[in-house]
Amino acid sequence: MKPSFLTTLILAGSLFAGGCATKTYVNKTVDPVNGKVDQVAQQSDRQGQAIDQTKQSLDETRTSLDQTRASLEKDETDLNATNERAVSAGTRADAANQKADLIGKNLGDLKSMVANLDDYKQVSSTTVNFKFNSDKLSSDAKQELDQMVMNQQTYKRFFIAVEGFTDRTGSDAYNEALSRRRADAVVEYLVAQHNLPIYRIHMVGLGKQKPLEEATTRAAQAKNRRVEVAVYSADQTVASLNDQ
């Protein structure tokens, strides 16, 4: 038997009503889930932004620390350099003070000597000769100097005069320089070999001046190539005064 129209209509209405109910159920079930998913997504985005900001802040902090470390290392280097300069300056100051003290003592001795210059008398002397155009001391010259200063240790107040000379060969300027080199050679020998205080030695180079021989012969020229050395002491004067 064929279904009637009414029966068909009732069945269609039932299906429609059932479909609507199902759709409503699905909507009620799915929509909250979608909302939660959206909330989770938004929260994840905020957390991602917070992480990015934290990372950026850490990077900035690391850069700042690196700059601070570099600045501290530079300050330490500058401080070390300053300390080294200070130590060096202190060392130079100490050396300068020691030198000043020594110079002061030497000047005091020299002033005492000069104040009584008239009391100084020549107690020994010698003349050493040089080869042509030479400022080197010969063995004979060294022996002469050794003999002259042998007894200088017995004098407390003394000085030594050293005068260098040349022959007439060459220019005035050259001979003046050569005569000074010859006198320097004598002074260096006396200081190095006999421990004589340098401040007790007075040296001058006179070149062609005060020749011993006016002649131009080879023998005369050889005599003029010389250094005259004399020891002066005031001890003899004091001794003679004490004997009176």
Side-chain angles (χ1 to χ4, degrees):
M1 186 177 79
K2 294 183 181 180
S4 64
F5 175 76
L6 180 59
T7 302
T8 302
L9 183 61
I10 291 172
L11 289 174
S14 297
L15 290 175
F16 178 77
C20 290
T22 301
K23 182 176 182 182
T24 301
Y25 173 79
V26 170
N27 288 337
K28 289 182 179 181
T29 303
V30 172
D31 287 346
V33 173
N34 288 336
K36 291 182 178 181
V37 170
D38 292 339
Q39 291 177 356
V40 171
Q42 292 175 0
Q43 186 176 3
S44 297
D45 290 340
R46 288 194 296 269
Q47 290 177 347
Q49 293 175 359
I51 291 173
D52 291 340
Q53 291 176 353
T54 302
K55 182 178 179 182
Q56 182 178 358
S57 178
L58 288 175
D59 291 340
E60 292 175 353
T61 302
R62 186 180 296 108
T63 301
S64 178
L65 288 175
D66 290 341
Q67 293 175 349
T68 301
R69 185 183 297 108
S71 178
L72 289 174
E73 290 176 351
K74 182 179 182 300
D75 290 342
E76 184 179 3
T77 301
D78 293 341
L79 181 59
N80 291 336
T82 301
N83 289 337
E84 290 177 358
R85 289 194 296 269
V87 171
S88 178
T91 301
R92 291 196 300 271
D94 291 341
N97 289 335
Q98 293 176 359
K99 187 175 182 180
D101 292 342
L102 179 60
I103 291 174
K105 180 180 181 301
N106 293 343
L107 286 177
D109 294 342
L110 183 59
K111 288 180 180 179
S112 177
M113 179 187 71
V114 173
N116 302 293
L117 192 59
D118 292 339
D119 295 335
Y120 283 80
K121 306 299 180 184
Q122 181 175 313
V123 293
S124 63
S125 64
T126 189
T127 298
V128 295
N129 294 100
F130 290 80
K131 294 181 180 181
F132 177 75
N133 198 32
S134 173
D135 57 8
K136 305 300 181 183
L137 286 172
S138 64
S139 298
D140 291 341
K142 293 178 180 179
Q143 289 179 5
E144 290 288 339
L145 294 173
D146 294 340
Q147 184 66 32
M148 185 200 69
V149 300
M150 183 178 298
N151 297 322
Q152 66 84 21
Q153 296 292 347
T154 62
Y155 303 125
K156 294 183 179 179
R157 297 190 300 163
F158 72 94
F159 71 91
I160 300 175
V162 179
E163 297 177 318
F165 301 95
T166 67
D167 58 27
R168 295 181 179 275
T169 305
S171 66
D172 291 343
Y174 180 82
N175 282 302
E176 288 174 3
L178 178 59
S179 66
R180 286 194 297 271
R181 293 200 303 273
R182 288 172 174 170
D184 281 338
V186 172
V187 172
E188 182 179 349
Y189 182 79
L190 293 176
V191 172
Q193 299 300 319
H194 293 279
N195 297 318
L196 292 177
I198 186 64
Y199 64 88
R200 290 191 179 275
I201 303 176
H202 302 267
M203 182 273 290
V204 65
L206 298 175
K208 301 177 182 180
Q209 300 180 52
K210 299 171 64 174
L212 290 179
E213 296 284 346
E214 294 290 346
T216 57
T217 62
R218 180 174 297 180
Q221 297 286 51
K223 289 183 179 180
N224 291 332
R225 296 193 293 269
R226 72 197 190 281
V227 171
E228 296 180 358
V229 188
V231 178
Y232 295 83
S233 174
D235 294 343
Q236 300 296 323
T237 302
V238 174
S240 63
L241 290 174
N242 292 333
D243 291 340
Q244 293 178 0

